[in-house]
C-alpha cells in the first residue's frame, strides 16, 4: 500500500535500529506524546529493538485517556435523556466515568451512535429534527478543525437541535506540565506529527529552548518513529536543544493557517482538567461565547457537574511517564480492559462440565454405549445477529449455515444435519425472508449438510433488527481424529488457511456506509472439504480452530491457554488483502482481530506441513494456506507476534469489540 509499505520496510527499519545503537552512549529516556505513536510502538515491537539504555515512556498524548471523569459523566447524563442522540468517536465509548461508560449506556438503551466525523452528527441532526443531537468533541488540535467547522455550519444553518460537548486539549502545555514535575526523567520528546500538521512547529520552540530539551516532530509508521528516535538521540548526544521536523513530508513549519483561523474563530483557550494530571492552565479549547448556544454543557445545565478520580488509580503517573502500567498494583487485577479503573486501561466463560471444558468449537460425544453402530458425533449451536442482513459476498442465512457447519468441521466431524430457528421482526418483508431462506438452502447444498427441522417466532417491530437466526448442528467425527487444543505440542507448525479480515470489514463497510475503490467481500464459505482433504491425506491434525469472532488473534490465544504452550507468529506471513489493510488502517483496526467466516488455523506436526499445505491448497482456490508460526514451551499460555520490522509484541484476546480510534 503506497505511503505505508515504504515506511514499514524491514531493511530501512533495521538500518535505523543499527544507527540508534551506534549513536547511544549513555542512558536516555524519550517520551512519545501521541497515543497513535504509542499504538505503533507496541504493535510493531519497536521498544524491543532498542538498546537497553534507551527507554521509551508513553506520555499524556491520548485525548481519549485524558478526558476527565466529569466530562464522561456529562456525556452519560446526555445519553440518558430520551430526547438526545449522543454521537461520538468509537474509542470514547469504553472510557470509564464515575460509575459506568457510554458502551454500557448504549447496551441499556441509550441512543449512542458511533460516527467518523462531526459532519455525520450534523447530518443526523438534519434528519431527526425532533431530537437534540450532541456531538462529543474530543481530541487534540488535530480533530479541532472539523469540529469547529461543524459548529460553524450549524450556526450558519440555524440548527437549533445540534450542539457539541467540547473537551479539546492542547499538546504544548502538557509537555510543559511534564517537564515542570520535579521528578521528571524525560530527556527528549517525540512530538505528534498530525498535531503539527495543523499547528506547525513554532509553538514548541520556546519549550525546547527554555527547558533545554530536544523535541522531534515525528510520524506514525515504524520507519518514521525510528527516524524520530534517531534524530532525538543525535541531538541529546550532541548537547543540542531545539525542534527538529522528521515528518517534513506532512508538516510545514507554519502548519495550516486556514485551519488555525477557523479554530481561533470558534474556540477560545481555557484552563483544562486532564485525567490523571489535574488542571493545566491554558491547555484546552472551549467554544467562544458567541457560540454558547451550541455548547451542550451550557444548553443542558451540566457545567456544575464534578467528579473525583479513584485514589487508588495511578494512571496519572503512567501518563507522566513516571510509572509503567504493569507497575501499578491495580493493573490486571481491579483494573482490566473489561472493567477499567483508569482511562489508560481503555486502550472467560466456563462451567464445571466435561463436555464444555473440551475447549472446542463443539462437543464431541461418544455414542458407542447408546447405539450398536458406535462411533462419535459432534454437536454445536450458534446464533447470528449480523446487521445488515446482506453484505458483499454473503448473507446472514448463508453465514448461519456455514458458521455452524464449520464449527463441526473444527471437531474433525463431517457436518450432516442442521436445525434452524428464526426470530423475525414484525414487518419484515416476505421477499427478504425468502431471500435468506434461499441463501441458506444454497449454502447447505455447498456444505453437504441437511437442514432437517426448524422453528419461527415473531417479535414486535423495533425489537429484532429484522431477523435473528439460531442453528444447531450434528456431525460424524472421523474415526481416530482428535483436534482438541490439549493435543497441541511444542514443535507443531501453525497453518493459516488464507487471508484474514475480509468478512468483518465487508460487514463494517456496509453497516457504516463506507466506500472504497475496491469492494471488500466476505470470505464466508464451508471449510469441511479442506479438513476432509487433510484427513484423507493422513495428516495428524493436532488442533483446528476457525478464526471467527475475535479473529485470528483470539483463536490462537485460546489454543495457547488451553494447551499450556507458547505460540510464536510471524506478521509478514499473515495475508491481508490490500483493500482490507487500507480499511483497517483508516479505522484503526488490527486485521488479526477482525472476524472471518471461512478461515481457520491448523496445528500439525512439523513433518506433516508440506502434505498439509498441498491438501489445503487443492481445496481452496484463490487462497494461499501458509505457515504463520510455531509452538514451543517457552512461556505457557503466551502468544507473541514478530512484526514486519522484526520487533515482537504480546497478543491478547480481543476484549469487547474493536472500536474506531481517533488516536
Amino acid at each position: 500500500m503506497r505511503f505505508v509499505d515504504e515506511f514499514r520496510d524491514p531493511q530501512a527499519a533495521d538500518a535505523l535500529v543499527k544507527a540508534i545503537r551506534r549513536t547511544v552512549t549513555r542512558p536516555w529516556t524519550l517520551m512519545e506524546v501521541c497515543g497513535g505513536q504509542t499504538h505503533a510502538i507496541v504493535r510493531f515491537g519497536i521498544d524491543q529493538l532498542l538498546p537497553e539504555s534507551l527507554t521509551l515512556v508513553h506520555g499524556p498524548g491520548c485525548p481519549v485517556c485524558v478526558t476527565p471523569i466529569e466530562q464522561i459523566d456529562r456525556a452519560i447524563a446526555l445519553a440518558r435523556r430520551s430526547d438526545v442522540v449522543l454521537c461520538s468517536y468509537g474509542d470514547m465509548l469504553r472510557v470509564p466515568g464515575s460509575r459506568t461508560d457510554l458502551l454500557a449506556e448504549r447496551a441499556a438503551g441509550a441512543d449512542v451512535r458511533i460516527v467518523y466525523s462531526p459532519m455525520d452528527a450534523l447530518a443526523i441532526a438534519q434528519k431527526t429534527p425532533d431530537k437534540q443531537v450532541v456531538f462529543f468533541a474530543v481530541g487534540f488540535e488535530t480533530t479541532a478543525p472539523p469540529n469547529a467547522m461543524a459548529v460553524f455550519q450549524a450556526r450558519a444553518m440555524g440548527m437549533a437541535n445540534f450542539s457539541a460537548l467540547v473537551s479539546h486539549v492542547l499538546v504544548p502545555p502538557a509537555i510543559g506540565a511534564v517537564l515542570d514535575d520535579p521528578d521528571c526523567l524525560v530527556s527528549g520528546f517525540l512530538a505528534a506529527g498530525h498535531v503539527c500538521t495543523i499547528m506547525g512547529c513554532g509553538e514548541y520552540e520556546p519549550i525546547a529552548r527554555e527547558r533545554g530539551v530536544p523535541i522531534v516532530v515525528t510520524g506514525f509508521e515504524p520507519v518514521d518513529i525510528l527516524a524520530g528516535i534517531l534524530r532525538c538521540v543525535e541531538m541529546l548526544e550532541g548537547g543540542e536543544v531545539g525542534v527538529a521536523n522528521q515528518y517534513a513530508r506532512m508538516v510545514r513549519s507554519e502548519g495550516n493557517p486556514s485551519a488555525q483561523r477557523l479554530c481561533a474563530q470558534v474556540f477560545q483557550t481555557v484552563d483544562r482538567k486532564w485525567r490523571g494530571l489535574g488542571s493545566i492552565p491554558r491547555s484546552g479549547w472551549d467554544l467562544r461565547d458567541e457560540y454558547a448556544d451550541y455548547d451542550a454543557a451550557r444548553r443542558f445545565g451540566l457545567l456544575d457537574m464534578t467528579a473525583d478520580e479513584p485514589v487508588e488509580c495511578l494512571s496519572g503517573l503512567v501518563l507522566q511517564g513516571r510509572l509503567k502500567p504493569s507497575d501499578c498494583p491495580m493493573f490486571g487485577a481491579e483494573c482490566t480492559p473489561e472493567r477499567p479503573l483508569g482511562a489508560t486501561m481503555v486502550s472467560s466463560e466456563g462451567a464445571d462440565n466435561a463436555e464444555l471444558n473440551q475447549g472446542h468449537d463443539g462437543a464431541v460425544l461418544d455414542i458407542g454405549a447408546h447405539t450398536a453402530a458406535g462411533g462419535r458425533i459432534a454437536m454445536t449451536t450458534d446464533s447470528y445477529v449480523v446487521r445488515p442482513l446482506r453484505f458483499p459476498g454473503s448473507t446472514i442465512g448463508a453465514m448461519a449455515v456455514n458458521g455452524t457447519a464449520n464449527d463441526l468441521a473444527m471437531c474433525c466431524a463431517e457436518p450432516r444435519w442442521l436445525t434452524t430457528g428464526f426470530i423475525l421482526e414484525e414487518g419484515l418483508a416476505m421477499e427478504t425472508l425468502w431471500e435468506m431462506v434461499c441463501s441458506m438452502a444454497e449454502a447447505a447444498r455447498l456444505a453437504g449438510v441437511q437442514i432437517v427441522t426448524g422453528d419461527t417466532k415473531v417479535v414486535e417491530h423495533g425489537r429484532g433488527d429484522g431477523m435473528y437466526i439460531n442453528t444447531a448442528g450434528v456431525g460424524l467425527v472421523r474415526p481416530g481424529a482428535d483436534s482438541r487444543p490439549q493435543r497441541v505440542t511444542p514443535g507443531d507448525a501453525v497453518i493459516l488457511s488464507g487471508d484474514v479480515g475480509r468478512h468483518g470489514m465487508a460487514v463494517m463497510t456496509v453497516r457504516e456506509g463506507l466506500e472504497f475503490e475496491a469492494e471488500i467481500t466476505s470470505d464466508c464459505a464451508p471449510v469441511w472439504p479442506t479438513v476432509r482433504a487433510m484427513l484423507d491425506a493422513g495428516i495428524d491434525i493436532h488442533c483446528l480452530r476457525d478464526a471467527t469472532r475475535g479473529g485470528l488473534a483470539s483463536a490462537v490465544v485460546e489454543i495457547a491457554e488451553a494447551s499450556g504452550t507458547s505460540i510464536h507468529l510471524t506478521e509478514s506471513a499473515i495475508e491481508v488483502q490490500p483493500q482490507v489493510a487500507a480499511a483497517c488502517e483508516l479505522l484503526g483496526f488490527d486485521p488479526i482481530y477482525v472476524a472471518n467466516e471461512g478461515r481457520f488455523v491448523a496445528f500439525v506436526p512439523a513433518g506433516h506441513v508440506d502434505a498439509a499445505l498441498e491438501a489445503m491448497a487443492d481445496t481452496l482456490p484463490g487462497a494461499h494456506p501458509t505457515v504463520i508460526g510455531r509452538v514451543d514451551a517457552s512461556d505457557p499460555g503466551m502468544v507473541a507476534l514478530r512484526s514486519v520490522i522484526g520487533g515482537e509484541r504480546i497478543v491478547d484476546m480481543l476484549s469487547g469489540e474493536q472500536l474506531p480510534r481517533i488516536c
Side-chain angles (χ1 to χ4, degrees):
M1 186 167 26
R2 193 180 176 198
F3 302 123
V4 173
D5 291 345
E6 60 263 47
F7 297 103
R8 296 181 183 178
D9 179 67
Q11 287 74 33
D14 183 61
L16 288 165
V17 169
K18 289 177 179 176
I20 291 168
R21 291 182 175 276
R22 289 194 303 268
T23 304
V24 173
T25 63
R26 49 188 170 140
W28 300 110
T29 298
L30 307 185
M31 175 179 283
E32 83 276 359
V33 174
C34 177
Q37 293 168 335
T38 302
H39 177 81
I41 288 168
V42 173
R43 176 182 175 184
F44 293 99
I46 292 173
D47 52 337
Q48 305 300 313
L49 301 173
L50 302 177
E52 291 185 4
S53 57
L54 183 58
T55 302
L56 294 183
V57 294
H58 312 317
C62 171
V64 173
C65 298
V66 301
T67 301
I69 291 179
E70 57 257 36
Q71 200 73 331
I72 304 297
D73 287 349
R74 290 180 183 125
I76 290 169
L78 289 167
R80 287 176 173 173
R81 293 178 59 113
S82 60
D83 61 336
V84 166
V85 176
L86 184 77
C87 298
S88 172
Y89 295 124
D91 46 359
M92 288 303 302
L93 269 61
R94 203 174 274 130
V95 182
S98 296
R99 295 180 179 84
T100 183
D101 56 45
L102 288 169
L103 204 59
E105 293 300 318
R106 186 172 72 167
D111 195 347
V112 178
R113 306 187 192 183
I114 294 176
V115 295
Y116 301 89
S117 161
M119 305 312 290
D120 294 342
L122 200 60
I124 292 171
Q126 289 178 292
K127 294 176 183 177
T128 53
D130 58 326
K131 293 279 191 177
Q132 287 288 325
V133 177
V134 180
F135 176 66
F136 198 177
V138 303
F140 287 119
E141 297 93 328
T142 320
T143 58
N147 294 349
M149 179 57 71
V151 175
F152 178 85
Q153 287 199 359
R155 185 188 185 207
M157 297 164 63
M159 294 187 62
N161 70 323
F162 178 85
S163 59
L165 182 63
V166 178
S167 191
H168 278 297
V169 285
L170 309 178
V171 172
I175 293 178
V178 170
L179 289 169
D180 286 341
D181 190 296
D183 297 320
C184 177
L185 302 174
V186 178
S187 315
F189 292 86
L190 304 182
H194 53 12
V195 171
C196 296
T197 300
I198 302 298
M199 302 304 295
C201 307
E203 56 187 355
Y204 295 93
E205 291 285 359
I207 299 174
R209 185 174 59 253
E210 295 168 10
R211 313 298 175 89
V213 295
I215 299 175
V216 180
V217 178
T218 306
F220 302 91
E221 294 297 334
V223 169
D224 285 322
I225 293 171
L226 287 168
I229 292 171
L230 175 60
R231 183 68 187 106
C232 198
V233 167
E234 289 173 341
M235 295 174 74
L236 287 167
E237 292 281 345
E240 183 181 354
V241 300
V243 177
N245 182 10
Q246 179 278 330
Y247 205 34
R249 71 178 186 276
M250 292 298 297
V251 175
R252 298 178 298 178
S253 60
E254 71 276 16
N256 185 329
S258 297
Q260 294 168 23
R261 285 193 294 270
L262 176 63
C263 290
Q265 181 177 348
V266 176
F267 296 126
Q268 59 183 338
T269 304
V270 297
D271 298 345
R272 177 71 77 201
K273 185 176 180 180
W274 293 53
R275 190 170 191 151
L277 298 177
S279 181
I280 301 178
R282 299 184 60 77
S283 65
W285 276 339
D286 214 336
L287 291 176
R288 289 188 173 277
D289 290 341
E290 50 264 49
Y291 290 90
D293 289 345
Y294 296 90
D295 186 334
R298 301 190 206 188
R299 177 178 293 187
F300 295 97
L302 302 175
L303 291 174
D304 293 334
M305 287 187 70
T306 59
D308 295 323
E309 296 183 27
V311 294
E312 65 272 26
C313 177
L314 303 181
S315 61
L317 297 179
V318 175
L319 292 171
Q320 296 173 56
R322 293 165 54 188
L323 193 73
K324 292 184 177 180
S326 56
D327 295 332
C328 176
M330 301 293 110
F331 181 83
E334 285 81 359
C335 186
T336 66
E338 293 81 10
R339 294 184 178 275
L341 182 64
T344 48
M345 181 57 78
V346 176
S347 66
S348 318
E349 299 172 359
D352 189 11
N353 178 299
E355 280 72 30
L356 287 175
N357 285 340
Q358 292 176 13
H360 231 323
D361 283 335
V364 176
L365 307 175
D366 189 340
I367 61 172
H370 306 287
T371 174
R376 293 175 298 158
I377 64 170
M379 296 180 64
T380 189
T381 186
D382 209 342
S383 298
Y384 299 86
V385 296
V386 67
R387 177 176 56 85
L389 301 179
R390 64 182 69 83
F391 41 87
S394 194
T395 68
I396 187 175
M399 191 173 77
V401 171
N402 285 322
T404 300
N406 291 348
D407 282 347
L408 294 171
M410 296 300 96
C411 301
C412 291
E414 178 185 3
R416 295 295 295 274
W417 304 283
L418 295 187
T419 73
T420 184
F422 291 98
I423 308 295
L424 307 180
E425 183 180 9
E426 184 181 25
L428 179 75
M430 286 301 297
E431 293 83 358
T432 300
L433 175 58
W434 184 244
E435 178 188 354
M436 297 304 127
V437 169
C438 289
S439 70
M440 293 183 75
E442 176 63 10
R445 184 187 68 80
L446 294 173
V449 65
Q450 288 182 285
I451 301 175
V452 295
T453 188
D455 183 48
T456 301
K457 293 291 186 292
V458 178
V459 297
E460 296 175 23
H461 181 68
R463 301 273 185 177
D465 252 358
M467 174 187 296
Y468 300 148
I469 301 177
N470 172 267
T471 47
V474 176
L476 301 180
V477 180
R478 179 71 66 95
D482 184 358
S483 56
R484 292 173 300 151
Q486 290 79 5
R487 291 199 66 221
V488 172
T489 305
D492 281 355
V494 186
I495 301 177
L496 176 62
S497 65
D499 62 295
V500 299
R502 275 198 288 131
H503 172 73
M505 296 314 298
V507 174
M508 171 68 75
T509 53
V510 177
R511 179 185 299 166
E512 304 299 335
L514 304 175
E515 295 184 5
F516 297 93
E517 289 185 3
E519 185 180 52
I520 300 174
T521 59
S522 171
D523 63 356
C524 186
V527 301
W528 168 246
T530 304
V531 176
R532 179 177 58 203
M534 295 173 70
L535 293 168
D536 290 346
I539 307 301
D540 181 14
I541 299 174
H542 284 179
C543 185
L544 298 170
R545 183 61 54 91
D546 55 353
T548 50
R549 179 171 171 79
L552 170 67
S554 294
V556 175
V557 172
E558 285 178 350
I559 292 169
E561 292 177 347
S563 63
T565 61
S566 178
I567 300 174
H568 299 264
L569 305 178
T570 302
E571 186 177 32
S572 59
I574 300 171
E575 182 184 0
V576 182
Q577 289 192 353
Q579 62 266 38
V580 174
C584 287
E585 289 290 336
L586 178 66
L587 297 173
F589 286 3
D590 190 333
I592 66 172
Y593 287 100
V594 177
N596 311 275
E597 284 295 337
R599 297 291 181 254
F600 66 93
V601 284
F603 291 73
V604 303
H608 289 211
V609 168
D610 290 343
L613 290 172
E614 183 178 355
M616 296 172 76
D618 287 344
T619 59
L620 292 168
H624 305 95
T626 309
V627 175
I628 63 167
R630 58 180 175 81
V631 179
D632 65 29
S634 60
D635 196 345
M638 184 197 77
V639 176
L641 177 73
R642 180 168 293 277
S643 75
V644 293
I645 65 166
E648 197 168 71
R649 65 177 167 114
I650 303 301
V651 176
D652 291 322
M653 292 280 288
L654 177 64
S655 176
E657 61 177 313
Q658 289 200 90
L659 298 173
R661 296 185 299 109
I662 63 167
C663 68

